[in-house]
Amino acid sequence: MKSFLAATRLAERICLVSLLLGMTALFAFNIAMRLFGGAHASGFHWIDEVVRTMNIFMVFLAAGLALERGKHVAVDTWRDRIATSSRIPLRRIIDTAGVLFSLYMAWVAARTAAFVFASGQQSATLSMPIGWIYVAPSAGFVLLAIRYGASLMGAIDRFSPQSEVAE
C-alpha cells in the first residue's frame, strides 16, 4: 500500500507542478501578447479558458494531497475531546464516511461527465467537449477516497501534525 501511495503522490505532484507551470506560462504569454501583440493579441483569446480549465483540474487533483497532509479544515480539539470522553472511534468513523462520500461524489461526477459528453456540448472557444470539466471532480474524489481509505487502514496518519509526508 505504501508503494502505491508513493507512486500516486509522485504522479499527483508531477501533474500539479506541470499544471501550475503551464498555467503560469500561458497566462504570462497572454499578458505579453495583450501588451505587445497588437492585432495578433485577439488570436489568443482561448488562453483564458485553457487556464480556467487547468485551474479546475489543479484544485481537484490537489485535494488528496491536502487531505493526506492534514491541511483540510477540521475542528481537531472538538473531535478529539468527544472521542476521548465517549470512547467512540471517531477518526475511523470520519475516514469511513469520507471514503463513502468521496466514492459517491466520484460516481456522481462521472455520471455527469458521461451525460455531458453524450449531449455533445462543446466549448465555443476551444471546441473541446465540456464533459472534460466534470472529469476533474471525478478524479479528485477518487484520490480523496484513496487517502481516506489509506487513513482508515493505518497506511497514513493524516491526523498528526506533519510538515511533509514520508516517501
Side-chain angles (χ1 to χ4, degrees):
M1 179 66 154
K2 295 227 185 239
S3 61
F4 173 74
L5 286 173
T8 303
R9 203 175 296 121
L10 179 64
E12 284 171 324
R13 286 180 180 172
I14 290 169
C15 287
L16 291 170
V17 168
S18 299
L19 283 167
L20 184 61
L21 291 175
M23 287 170 52
T24 304
L26 282 170
F27 203 69
F29 175 75
N30 197 25
I31 290 171
M33 286 305 294
R34 288 180 185 181
L35 285 173
F36 308 113
H40 300 290
S42 64
F44 296 99
H45 62 281
W46 53 270
I47 291 178
D48 290 328
E49 189 166 346
V50 169
V51 169
R52 189 175 22 245
T53 303
M54 291 169 81
N55 191 39
I56 291 168
F57 273 87
M58 193 171 71
V59 165
F60 282 103
L61 293 178
L65 282 173
L67 179 72
E68 184 174 350
R69 293 180 184 201
K71 302 297 183 188
H72 280 203
V73 175
V75 185
D76 299 338
T77 55
W78 182 77
R79 178 199 64 220
D80 293 341
R81 191 172 52 215
I82 286 176
T84 302
S85 65
S86 68
R87 304 217 191 281
I88 295 173
L90 202 51
R91 289 180 175 183
R92 295 185 64 78
I93 292 169
I94 291 169
D95 285 341
T96 302
V99 168
L100 294 174
F101 178 75
S102 296
L103 289 174
Y104 173 72
M105 291 304 296
W107 177 75
V108 168
R111 286 188 46 125
T112 304
F115 173 76
V116 175
F117 277 124
S119 73
Q121 295 180 45
Q122 290 204 347
S123 162
T125 306
L126 298 175
S127 297
M128 170 189 85
I130 292 295
W132 284 109
I133 291 174
Y134 297 98
V135 171
S138 185
F141 279 113
V142 166
L143 292 169
L144 275 174
I146 289 169
R147 290 326 195 301
Y148 277 118
S151 178
L152 184 63
M153 292 187 295
I156 61 171
D157 182 12
R158 65 182 193 84
F159 296 103
S160 299
Q162 53 194 349
S163 59
E164 184 68 28
V165 175
E167 297 296 320

